[in-house]
Amino acid sequence: MKGQAPGGSPAGADPTDLAFMARALELAREAAAAGEVPVGAVIVKDGEIVAEGWNRPIGTCDPTAHAEIIALRAAGIALDTYRLTDTTLYVTLEPCAMCAGAMVHARVRRLVYGATDPRAGATGSVFNVVQNPALNHRLETCGGVLAEECGTLLRDFFAARR
């Protein structure tokens, strides 16, 4: 794709973003191994991972147990606050409206995601919750980091179930 580096990432993608997204991909593979939709998330503050999560709605019978929500909850505990200012959330799939809304409420500073979600994406594909001027907080966003790998993992997962 024009403007993208090998691996489906934006040209000139930050090596730090690539490294943390690679960890999110590892978590997504764990979700797939557990029979969950393969989405992984990592929250970083000051260059260190403070929380991780992967999709768990099936295993937990909890429709809110998306990778981002699991990671946000863990970050709140790890940082002893519900305000996750100065954090970056890395996730392998563009967040849905629920997850995007939670990031806004948590005051996450930056969102980095892999594959876009043309059916439910809430960072510009269908909605743009994270930058909505009607809300009291907006996130910086960077999409397409390791997009090819993230998208392939999702496509392969669903193809195996058909």
Side-chain angles (χ1 to χ4, degrees), residues 69 72 97-108:
I69 300 297
L72 288 166
M98 174 185 70
C99 294
M103 287 179 232
V104 169
H105 285 289
R107 308 296 196 275
V108 170

Side-chain angles (χ1 to χ4, degrees), residues 36-51:
E36 302 277 0
V37 174
V39 178
V42 173
I43 298 181
V44 174
K45 184 174 174 97
D46 299 328
E48 299 290 328
I49 294 174
V50 295

Side-chain angles (χ1 to χ4, degrees), residues 66-122:
H66 290 196
E68 301 96 322
I69 300 297
I70 301 290
L72 288 166
R73 289 174 179 158
I77 292 167
L79 297 173
D80 196 31
T81 182
Y82 71 103
R83 294 286 191 226
L84 304 179
T85 56
D86 297 320
T87 61
T88 299
L89 191 149
Y90 294 85
V91 64
T92 56
L93 179 64
E94 180 183 4
C96 69
M98 174 185 70
C99 294
M103 287 179 232
V104 169
H105 285 289
R107 308 296 196 275
V108 170
R109 183 181 60 82
R110 183 168 177 254
L111 166 67
V112 179
Y113 65 90
T116 59
D117 186 347
R119 294 185 182 175

